[in-house]
C-alpha cells in the first residue's frame, strides 16, 4: 500500500466532492484496506467519513425504520428496534464476519463489498503484474474462475466475462425487506430500491451500452468494460441510509446462512425470508438469496406462486424447482442449487412458517 | 535483558537480512507489492491516542495501520500480526472499549480515541487480569501466537455479555483463529474468567 494524503470529512457534501475528484472514502475500512493492499484500488487521497454522527443512528418513525449508513453491523444486530421488527436484518448482521470486524464494518460499505473470488483478489500492484486473467482487474484479460476452482460462483446472471457473486449478508436481508437506499451525490439526493441497487453481469453488460452505464464508471469511453459495473452508484455518490416499512412479514422474518464452517465464513448460499402466514395460508412471502449472483437474488416468481397458498411440501418442492430451472451452475457445482433451495426451506421454517 | 540484547532486536536484525535476500530473489515487483509501513517513511499525519491509559502522540504515514503503529512505533509488540487482512484476529485490541482488528484500522482514524492492548490488561503492580490468569490455569494455548488476540477478545466477549454458554462463547470468539486448535481450553478459560468477573 502506497502512502496517501488523509483528511476527515467535515460534512457529506465535501466527502462527495472529494470522491468525484478521485479520493477514496473510508468508513469501517474492513474492505478498503485490503483493496489497497491487493492493488484493487490505489488512492492518493483518503477521506475519513466516520465523524459524521448523524449517519449512524437507527430510528423508527411510524412504520418506517431508518438505518444510517455508518451504523456498524454489531449496532444493528443489537438494536431492539431491528430485532423486534426486522429480525432478518439483525440475524444477517450477526452471521456476517466476526465480532471484531462487525464493530468496524458499517452497513453503508457492507453492500459495496466485492466478490470473494480468489482470482480477483490476487495481490498485484498494477494490472500487468496480475498472475492470471481476471476481467474485473484487467478488462479483456479473461476469467480464471470459469476454468478454476471458485466454489462461490454465480448461479444466475453471470456472463462469459465474469462469474462473481456479491458476498454481503445484510444486503440480502435489505432486499427481502424491500428497503430503499438513500444516496447523496454531487447532483443532489435520490433514493432507489435496494432491489435495483446491485446489478448482475448480464445486466451490467446491457447497462454498459447505455449512457447510464458509462456514467456509472465516471468515464465517457465508448467501450465500457461491463465486468467493472456492480451497482448503480454514480461517481461521488454516497449511501447515507436505508429505509424500509415494518409489516407482518418483516416481523416474521429470518436469515439462514449455509457455509463450510459454522461461523466467521462467507456463505455458499444464504436466504432471507419475510413471511406473513395466517391459518396455514401464505398471505405474503418475500424471499431473497445471497451469494448465488452478483446481486441478492429475489425469487419473485416463487413469491407469487406461494401467495394465497398453503405451504405444503409438494408445492414448495415444485415452486423451488421452477425458481432454479434457469440456474446455470459451473461444471461440478450443481450441488449449489440444492444448497440454495435448502437455505430457502430452512429460512421459511425459521421465519415461523409451518411446512405441511 | 541485562546484556542489552533481547529476542526482539535479535530477530529484527536477522529478518532484515533475510528480507533483503528474499526481495532480491523474488524480484522488485514482489518487494514493491509488500505492505511495509515503515516508521522511517515521511510522516504526513499526527495521531494522539490514549494508549493503555497514557496519552501518546505519533507522527506517521497516513497508510500506517493501528497494528503497525503499535508494534513499530509505540513499542508494544504484544499485539500480533498474523494474516494482516482481517481473517485471524491475532491483532485484536480494544478501541474505546470495543474489540477490533488493528490490522484493518488506519491509525489516523483513531485520533482522540482510547486504545487498550494486551500490555494494558494487567494491573500496574503486575497482577494479571482474570482472563490472563484463566488462560494460564486452563492451559488455553500451545504455540501462543494467537493468545494475546484471544485474551483481548475474551475480555470484550465477557464485557459484552456474550459468555453465557459454550455455544455462545464459540460463536462470539470465532474471530480469533487458533491453528493449534486449543478451542476447548480457550472456551473453558473464558467461562472461568466470566464467572470471576461477573461474580
Amino acid at each position: 500500500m502506497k502512502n496517501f494524503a488523509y483528511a476527515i470529512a467535515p460534512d457529506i457534501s465535501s466527502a462527495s466532492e472529494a470522491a468525484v475528484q478521485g479520493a477514496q472514502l473510508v468508513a469501517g475500512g474492513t474492505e478498503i484496506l485490503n483493496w489497497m493492499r491487493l492493488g484493487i484500488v490505489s488512492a492518493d487521497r483518503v477521506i475519513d467519513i466516520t465523524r459524521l454522527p448523524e449517519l449512524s443512528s437507527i430510528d423508527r418513525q411510524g412504520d418506517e425504520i431508518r438505518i444510517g449508513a455508518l451504523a456498524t453491523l454489531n449496532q444493528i444486530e443489537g438494536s431492539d428496534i431491528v430485532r423486534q421488527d426486522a429480525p432478518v436484518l439483525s440475524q444477517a448482521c450477526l452471521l456476517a464476519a466476526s465480532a471484531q470486524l462487525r464493530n468496524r464494518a458499517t452497513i453503508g460499505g457492507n453492500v459495496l463489498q466485492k466478490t470473494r473470488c480468489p482470482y480477483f483478489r490476487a495481490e498485484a500492484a498494477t494490472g500487468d503484474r496480475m498472475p492470471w486473467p481476471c476481467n474485473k482487474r484487467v478488462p479483456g484479460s479473461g476469467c480464471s474462475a470459469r476454468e478454476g476452482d471458485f466454489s462461490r460462483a454465480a448461479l444466475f446472471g453471470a456472463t462469459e466475462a465474469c462469474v462473481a457473486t456479491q458476498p454481503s449478508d445484510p444486503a440480502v436481508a435489505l432486499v427481502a425487506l424491500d428497503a430503499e437506499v438513500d444516496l447523496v451525490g454531487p447532483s443532489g439526493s435520490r433514493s432507489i430500491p435496494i432491489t435495483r441497487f446491485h446489478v448482475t453481469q448480464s445486466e451490467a453488460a446491457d447497462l454498459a451500452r447505455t449512457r447510464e452505464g458509462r456514467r456509472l464508471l465516471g468515464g465517457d469511453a465508448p467501450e465500457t468494460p461491463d465486468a467493472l459495473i456492480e451497482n448503480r452508484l454514480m461517481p461521488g455518490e454516497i449511501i447515507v441510509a436505508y429505509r424500509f416499512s415494518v409489516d407482518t412479514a418483516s416481523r416474521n422474518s429470518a436469515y439462514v446462512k449455509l457455509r463450510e464452517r459454522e461461523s466467521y465464513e462467507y456463505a455458499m448460499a444464504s436466504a432471507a425470508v419475510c413471511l406473513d402466514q395466517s391459518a396455514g395460508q401464505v398471505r405474503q412471502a418475500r424471499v431473497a438469496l445471497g451469494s448465488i449472483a452478483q446481486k441478492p437474488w429475489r425469487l419473485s416468481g416463487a413469491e407469487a406462486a406461494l401467495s394465497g397458498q398453503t405451504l405444503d411440501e409438494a408445492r414448495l418442492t415444485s415452486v423451488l424447482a421452477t425458481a432454479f430451472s434457469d440456474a446455470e451452475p459451473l461444471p461440478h457445482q450443481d450441488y449449489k442449487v440444492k444448497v440454495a433451495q435448502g437455505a430457502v426451506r430452512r429460512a421459511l421454517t425459521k421465519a415461523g412458517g409451518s411446512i405441511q | 535483558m541485562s546484556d542489552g540484547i533481547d529476542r526482539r532486536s535479535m530477530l529484527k536484525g536477522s529478518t532484515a537480512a533475510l528480507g533483503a535476500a528474499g526481495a532480491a530473489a523474488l524480484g522488485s515487483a514482489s518487494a514493491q507489492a509488500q505492505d511495509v509501513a515503515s516508521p522511517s517513511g515521511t510522516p504526513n499525519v499526527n495521531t494522539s491516542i490514549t494508549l493503555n491509559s497514557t496519552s501518546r502522540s505519533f507522527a506517521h504515514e497516513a497508510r500506517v495501520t493501528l497494528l503497525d503503529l503499535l508494534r513499530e512505533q509505540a513499542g508494544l509488540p504484544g499485539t500480533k500480526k498474523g494474516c494482516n487482512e482481517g481473517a485471524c484476529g491475532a491483532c485484536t485490541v480494544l478501541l474505546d472499549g470495543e474489540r477490533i482488528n488493528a490490522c484493518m484500522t488506519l491509525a489516523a482514524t483513531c485520533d482522540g480515541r482510547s486504545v487498550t492492548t494486551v500490555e494494558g490488561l494487567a494491573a500496574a503492580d503486575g497482577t494479571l487480569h482474570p482472563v490472563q490468569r484463566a488462560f494460564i490455569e486452563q492451559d488455553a494455548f500451545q504455540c501462543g501466537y494467537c493468545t494475546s488476540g484471544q485474551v483481548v477478545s475474551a475480555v470484550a466477549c465477557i464485557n459484552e455479555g456474550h459468555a453465557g454458554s459454550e455455544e455462545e462463547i464459540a460463536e462470539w470468539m470465532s474471530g480469533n483463529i487458533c491453528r493449534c486448535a486449543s478451542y476447548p481450553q480457550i472456551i473453558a478459560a473464558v467461562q472461568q474468567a466470566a464467572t470471576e468477573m461477573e461474580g
Side-chain angles (χ1 to χ4, degrees):
Chain A
M1 194 194 314
K2 65 174 189 179
N3 200 23
F4 42 75
Y6 169 85
I8 292 171
D11 51 58
I12 201 78
S13 60
S14 48
S16 171
E17 204 173 294
V20 171
Q21 290 161 4
Q24 176 66 59
L25 306 184
V26 63
T30 55
E31 261 284 65
I32 302 292
L33 259 62
N34 283 339
W35 292 356
M36 293 197 290
R37 285 170 177 142
L38 295 172
I40 292 169
V41 297
S42 173
D44 294 319
R45 273 177 84 203
V46 168
I47 305 294
D48 177 356
I49 59 167
T50 56
R51 312 251 170 166
L52 303 170
E54 70 274 18
L55 293 189
S56 60
S57 61
I58 301 169
D59 310 299
R60 180 174 168 162
Q61 288 199 334
D63 280 341
E64 185 175 82
I65 292 179
R66 180 185 178 279
I67 304 206
L70 289 179
T72 65
L73 301 194
N74 268 345
Q75 284 166 350
I76 297 166
E77 185 275 327
S79 155
D80 289 337
I81 296 172
V82 179
R83 280 189 182 173
Q84 185 179 326
D85 290 329
V88 64
L89 181 58
S90 173
Q91 292 165 16
C93 289
L94 173 63
L95 294 173
S98 68
Q100 291 95 314
L101 289 167
R102 292 195 299 270
N103 278 334
R104 295 290 297 165
T106 63
I107 188 110
N110 185 274
V111 309
L112 300 174
Q113 285 179 78
K114 292 185 182 292
T115 179
R116 303 308 306 178
C117 180
Y119 302 103
F120 169 73
R121 286 184 183 257
E123 181 175 319
T126 53
D128 58 349
R129 295 198 178 125
M130 274 292 281
W132 41 66
C134 172
N135 285 321
K136 274 195 194 295
R137 293 292 294 275
V138 183
S141 63
C143 174
S144 300
R146 276 209 164 270
E147 317 295 323
D149 183 20
F150 171 45
S151 63
R152 298 191 189 96
L155 298 177
F156 294 103
T159 58
E160 278 302 308
C162 181
V163 294
T165 44
Q166 167 55 248
S168 166
D169 295 299
V172 187
L174 289 167
V175 163
L177 289 164
D178 266 334
E180 292 276 316
V181 189
D182 291 343
L183 305 167
V184 170
S187 46
S189 307
R190 65 174 179 135
S191 298
I192 61 169
I194 182 98
T195 50
R196 271 179 47 80
F197 183 79
H198 298 96
V199 295
T200 65
Q201 289 87 344
S202 60
E203 287 169 340
D206 293 339
L207 263 178
R209 288 188 284 275
T210 67
R211 207 165 147 212
E212 186 193 356
R214 293 194 292 278
R215 278 185 65 205
L216 288 173
L217 289 167
D220 48 11
E223 293 291 322
T224 302
D226 48 73
L228 300 184
I229 303 177
E230 298 177 350
N231 56 57
R232 288 191 163 88
L233 204 60
M234 295 286 181
E237 269 190 328
I238 300 170
I239 298 174
V240 293
Y242 304 91
R243 287 175 293 108
F244 54 87
S245 297
V246 173
D247 58 12
T248 307
S250 77
R251 286 191 204 99
N252 298 294
S253 62
Y255 190 71
V256 167
K257 183 175 181 181
L258 301 179
R259 42 192 168 171
E260 289 169 358
R261 67 179 176 194
E262 180 79 11
S263 181
Y264 196 16
E265 180 59 286
Y266 294 95
M268 279 200 286
S270 66
V273 164
C274 298
L275 181 66
D276 180 358
Q277 192 182 23
S278 172
Q281 276 201 338
V282 175
R283 294 163 76 165
Q284 191 192 20
R286 298 193 299 265
V287 182
L289 285 154
S291 294
I292 61 163
Q294 195 169 255
K295 68 176 189 182
W297 193 254
R298 191 76 183 257
L299 296 190
S300 310
E303 293 172 13
L306 290 173
S307 179
Q309 307 292 324
T310 54
L311 208 55
D312 61 76
E313 182 59 42
R315 177 170 289 116
L316 190 56
T317 302
S318 144
V319 162
L320 287 176
T322 307
F324 284 84
S325 58
D326 55 350
E328 293 181 312
L330 289 185
H332 314 301
Q333 292 191 16
D334 300 11
Y335 70 93
K336 280 194 65 182
V337 170
K338 287 193 171 149
V339 173
Q341 290 172 333
V344 175
R345 283 171 176 277
R346 282 201 206 171
L348 280 166
T349 310
K350 191 175 171 186
S354 54
I355 301 169
Q356 284 140 27
Chain B
M1 287 181 193
S2 56
D3 57 3
I5 300 169
D6 60 24
R7 179 176 140 271
R8 186 164 166 74
S9 51
M10 280 290 288
L11 284 169
K12 242 179 165 172
S14 56
T15 51
L18 267 176
L26 291 164
S28 59
S30 190
Q32 280 176 19
Q34 293 289 314
D35 176 22
V36 177
S38 163
S40 61
T42 309
N44 62 329
V45 287
N46 287 293
T47 301
S48 298
I49 53 177
T50 303
L51 181 52
N52 296 333
S53 305
T54 305
S55 294
R56 302 276 302 269
S57 287
F58 302 94
H60 60 90
E61 289 187 303
R63 65 172 169 168
V64 170
T65 60
L66 179 59
L67 174 60
D68 286 329
L69 185 96
L70 291 171
R71 291 180 57 84
E72 307 297 333
Q73 278 187 270
L76 295 173
T79 305
K80 300 302 179 200
K81 185 184 254 190
C83 66
N84 206 37
E85 61 172 23
C88 77
C91 66
T92 303
V93 299
L94 304 181
L95 180 62
D96 289 342
E98 290 187 337
R99 51 180 159 163
I100 59 151
N101 304 77
C103 76
M104 299 307 296
T105 303
L106 289 173
T109 63
C110 301
D111 189 49
R113 303 181 72 177
S114 163
V115 176
T116 303
T117 70
V118 70
E119 291 94 338
L121 293 180
D125 66 358
T127 305
L128 292 181
H129 188 280
V131 171
Q132 292 173 309
R133 275 205 316 278
F135 267 67
I136 295 168
E137 285 164 20
Q138 296 291 337
D139 213 6
F141 47 85
Q142 292 179 57
C143 86
Y145 195 83
C146 72
T147 306
S148 45
Q150 298 275 5
V151 166
V152 175
S153 193
V155 169
C157 180
I158 295 166
N159 288 339
E160 291 160 9
H162 290 134
S165 66
E166 285 186 24
E167 292 72 26
E168 191 180 24
I169 293 167
E171 173 60 39
W172 285 87
M173 288 294 292
S174 72
N176 294 81
I177 306 293
C178 172
R179 278 291 171 248
C180 308
S182 293
Y183 296 111
Q185 292 82 1
I186 291 168
I187 289 173
V190 176
Q191 282 185 309
Q192 178 187 319
T195 306
E196 184 179 337
M197 287 164 70
E198 287 159 4

